[in-house]
Amino acid sequence: MRRIGVLTSGGDAPGMNAAIRAVVRTGLDKGLEVVGVRHGYQGLIDGEFTPLGARDVGGIMQQGGTILGSARCPEFMTEAGRHRALEQLAAHNIGGLVIIGGNGSQSGAHALSQMNFPVVGVASTIDNDLYGSDITIGVDTALNIALEAIDRLKVTASSHQRAFLVEVMGRNCGYLALMAGIAGGAEAVLIPEAPTDPEAVAAEIRTAYERGKAHAIVVVAEGAEYDAEELARYFKAHHQRLGYDLRTTILGHVQRGGAPGAFDRLLASRLAAAAVEQMAAGNTGVLLGQRQGEVRSTPLTEVVAGRKPLDLRLFELARVLAR
Ligand code: ADP
C-alpha cells in the first residue's frame, strides 16, 4: 500500500482536525502518500480527493470542525453507493482509508470492510456513544462548553431566583448531560437511560426552593423522554408551585463548534497516529479508541454489534450531590 485516504464523517467534533493532521504526518513518516476526502462518504462517491502534505495540515489543530468537511450520505447506506466509492478509490490508487467519526460512520466503515477494502476507524463523536472507546474525540471539549454555559446561567438564575431547563446534545446517549449535570452542580438531570416523570422533576425544583437555593438548574439530554421544551410546556401552568420563575435554554450546536482543548487534541493525535500504524501493519477492519487509558483497537464487527452502557451510579451521584 503506497497511498491512503482520510475522511471525516457524520457529526463534526472538536479534535477532528488534530486527527487529520496526525494521519497525514504519521503517514508521511511511514512513507505513505495521504489523500484527503472532502465531505465524508458523499465525497468518496463523488471522487472529491485532495492530496495532503505536511504543510497542508499546519495550523489546523487548534480549530474546531473539520477542514475536510463532513456530511451525511444516504447513498452510502446502499451497496450500489459503496460500489461507486470503491471504484473511485481504485481509480485514484488509494489502498486504504482512515475513517474519523462516530457510530454511523463506523457502521459505514464496517460495511466497506465487509467488501474487503482495508479501513481503520478513529473514534470521534461528542455523544460518547461508541462501543470500543471509553471516551471519544470531542466529548471533553463539548462538555467544557456546556459547563461554561451552565456556570453562566447559574449566575443570572441566582440573581433572579430562577430555574433553568438547559438542554444539551448527545442524541440518544445521556453521557454529556449527566457529566455536565454533575460537574455543573445541577439540581436535576434528565437522561434517556433513566426516564424521569415530569412530576418528579417539579418536586426536585420545589425541594431546591425550599432548601433556600437561589436557583435551580435542570440539565436535560436532547434524547430524554421529555425534551426541555416539552418540560417547559408541562410546567407552564404550574410555575407557582415550582417556587421559581422558569426559563429554557437549548445549547444545541454551540456545543460542537469550540476549539478543541488539550485532552481532545492529545486523544486525536494518539488515536489517529495509531490508526495509521495499524493500517501500515495490515491490521485493518478495526476501530482505534481509548480503553482504560490505553490506545486499543477493537474489530469493527464488535463495534457495530456492541452497546456502551452508561454507568448509572453516576446518576445517583448527581442526585446525592444536588442537596
Ligand atoms: P455519526 O458518525 O456522527 O454517528 P451518522 O450516524 O450521521 O453520523 O452517520 C454518518 C454517515 O455514515 C451516514 O450519513 C451514512 O453515510 C454512513 N452510515 C451510517 N450507517 C451506515 C450503515 N449501516 N451502512 C453504511 N453506511 C452507514
Side-chain angles (χ1 to χ4, degrees), residues 163-185:
F164 269 85
L165 299 170
V166 190
E167 187 174 301
V168 307
M169 280 190 153
R171 287 217 223 173
N172 297 320
C173 177
Y175 182 90
L176 265 189
L178 182 53
M179 296 304 154
I182 294 171

Side-chain angles (χ1 to χ4, degrees), residues 9-10 41 76-77 101-110 129-130 171 304:
S9 166
Y41 292 126
F76 198 75
M77 313 271 277
N103 247 326
S105 305
Q106 301 309 335
S107 297
H110 177 248
D129 57 352
L130 188 56
R171 287 217 223 173
V304 297

Side-chain angles (χ1 to χ4, degrees), residues 9-12 16 41-42 71-78 82 100-109 111-112 124-125 127 129 171 256:
S9 166
D12 64 306
M16 279 183 158
Y41 292 126
Q42 191 60 55
R72 297 207 152 94
C73 173
E75 194 180 350
F76 198 75
M77 313 271 277
T78 69
R82 292 195 294 277
I100 303 164
N103 247 326
S105 305
Q106 301 309 335
S107 297
L112 212 51
S124 178
T125 164
D127 303 333
D129 57 352
R171 287 217 223 173
R256 283 196 191 280

Side-chain angles (χ1 to χ4, degrees), residues 17-67:
N17 283 327
I20 294 167
R21 172 180 177 272
V23 168
V24 170
R25 294 192 177 170
T26 309
L28 293 174
D29 191 57
K30 303 227 161 281
L32 298 168
E33 286 174 31
V34 182
V35 174
V37 183
R38 296 191 58 79
H39 305 127
Y41 292 126
Q42 191 60 55
L44 197 57
I45 289 172
D46 297 338
E48 287 189 73
F49 300 140
T50 172
L52 292 176
R55 297 285 73 73
D56 297 319
V57 291
I60 66 168
M61 187 151 62
Q62 56 273 49
Q63 295 170 20
T66 157
I67 59 157

Side-chain angles (χ1 to χ4, degrees), residues 37-196:
V37 183
R38 296 191 58 79
H39 305 127
Y41 292 126
Q42 191 60 55
L44 197 57
I45 289 172
D46 297 338
E48 287 189 73
F49 300 140
T50 172
L52 292 176
R55 297 285 73 73
D56 297 319
V57 291
I60 66 168
M61 187 151 62
Q62 56 273 49
Q63 295 170 20
T66 157
I67 59 157
L68 290 174
S70 188
R72 297 207 152 94
C73 173
E75 194 180 350
F76 198 75
M77 313 271 277
T78 69
E79 197 154 333
R82 292 195 294 277
H83 272 296
R84 284 188 60 197
L86 288 177
E87 282 163 20
Q88 290 284 6
L89 288 162
H92 290 81
N93 224 3
I94 296 170
L97 200 55
V98 176
I99 294 168
I100 303 164
N103 247 326
S105 305
Q106 301 309 335
S107 297
H110 177 248
L112 212 51
S113 166
Q114 294 295 100
M115 295 165 93
N116 291 321
F117 189 83
V119 301
V120 177
V122 174
S124 178
T125 164
I126 67 163
D127 303 333
N128 207 28
D129 57 352
L130 188 56
Y131 183 89
S133 198
D134 296 339
I135 188 139
T136 50
I137 298 165
V139 170
D140 184 68
T141 304
L143 185 53
N144 276 297
I145 293 168
L147 273 183
E148 200 183 317
I150 290 169
D151 288 348
R152 289 180 185 185
L153 289 172
K154 262 192 172 174
V155 171
T156 176
S158 300
S159 305
H160 294 272
Q161 283 262 319
R162 279 180 178 151
F164 269 85
L165 299 170
V166 190
E167 187 174 301
V168 307
M169 280 190 153
R171 287 217 223 173
N172 297 320
C173 177
Y175 182 90
L176 265 189
L178 182 53
M179 296 304 154
I182 294 171
E187 274 60 43
V189 182
L190 274 84
I191 54 174
E193 292 85 349
T196 311

